[in-house]
Amino acid sequence: MSESDVELVPMGLPHLAGVLELGNRVFDVSEMPYTSWSLSSAAVHLDAQPDACWVAEAGGRVAGFVLGSLSYDERADWGYVEWLAVDPEHQGRGLAKTLLEESCAALFAAGATRVITDVEQTNTASAQLMQRCGFNDSVTVTLFVRHAPADSGAARQARVRTHATDPAKARLHAAARKSERD
């Protein structure tokens, strides 16, 4: 598939299932900082700042996306690019940069005086992308994690707990399957 087969479009409701599916494939949701990836985390961006949310479509599928929002940590004048993903099949073609630039342009147009993002420490490709796009490594925070002892009741209970199905996600997938059949 060539670069010309990919089209950048504003994200809309019909894209949510594809965005969620791609995010589940490329984000390691068992590790920080991606543990909050969910339908609601994608939908809240689309609801709050739709002009900062973009999708790269290839062959009718989501090949990449960016989700941005205005306001960060009580700062109404800061934009935040929280989620950026490109399907591994489409990486290395400049899609991430193009998606990032579209989101940043929308955030600046909406009044952001700066746009921030965070990148997991070992994600060197994303860190290099951010630097190429004018982001500076500005603040470093170390996340300290303490795991529950292996013999604690909470750890035992967490191991046997099953994940409940997200009803909104199930309805979204059902609607997407229905529209594909129609």
Side-chain angles (χ1 to χ4, degrees), residues 40-50 53 67-69 80-83:
S40 59
S41 63
V44 74
H45 285 81
L46 182 59
D47 188 42
Q49 198 76 36
C53 300
L67 304 176
S69 62
Y80 182 44
V81 173
E82 187 170 9
W83 300 102

Side-chain angles (χ1 to χ4, degrees), residues 50-178:
D51 53 336
C53 300
W54 289 83
V55 169
E57 291 181 329
R61 299 193 63 203
V62 173
F65 66 86
V66 62
L67 304 176
S69 62
L70 196 56
S71 82
Y72 174 78
D73 198 25
E74 305 301 319
R75 295 291 309 249
D77 62 331
W78 287 16
Y80 182 44
V81 173
E82 187 170 9
W83 300 102
L84 175 64
V86 173
D87 189 308
E89 181 180 314
H90 296 278
Q91 290 177 358
R93 301 179 190 175
L95 280 179
K97 182 180 188 298
T98 303
L99 287 162
L100 181 62
E101 293 295 348
E102 288 292 334
S103 186
C104 286
L107 292 168
F108 288 131
T113 60
R114 65 191 69 191
V115 174
I116 64 163
T117 191
D118 52 84
V119 175
E120 198 275 327
Q121 184 177 10
T122 61
N123 191 342
T124 55
S126 288
Q128 291 169 352
L129 168 69
M130 296 307 162
Q131 290 170 342
R132 283 192 313 271
C133 291
F135 286 81
N136 298 310
D137 184 359
S138 164
V139 176
T140 301
V141 175
T142 301
L143 178 66
F144 291 92
V145 178
R146 180 177 176 180
H147 295 278
D151 63 343
S152 78
R156 241 186 335 276
Q157 198 173 33
R159 284 192 298 268
V160 298
R161 186 180 309 140
T162 59
H163 295 287
T165 302
D166 178 347
K169 180 179 170 183
R171 285 192 305 274
L172 180 65
H173 282 283
R177 284 190 300 272
K178 182 181 182 311

Side-chain angles (χ1 to χ4, degrees), residues 23-56:
N24 280 325
R25 277 193 293 121
V26 300
F27 301 137
D28 182 355
V29 296
S30 67
E31 294 292 329
M32 290 298 285
Y34 306 123
T35 55
S36 65
W37 178 248
S38 67
L39 174 61
S40 59
S41 63
V44 74
H45 285 81
L46 182 59
D47 188 42
Q49 198 76 36
D51 53 336
C53 300
W54 289 83
V55 169

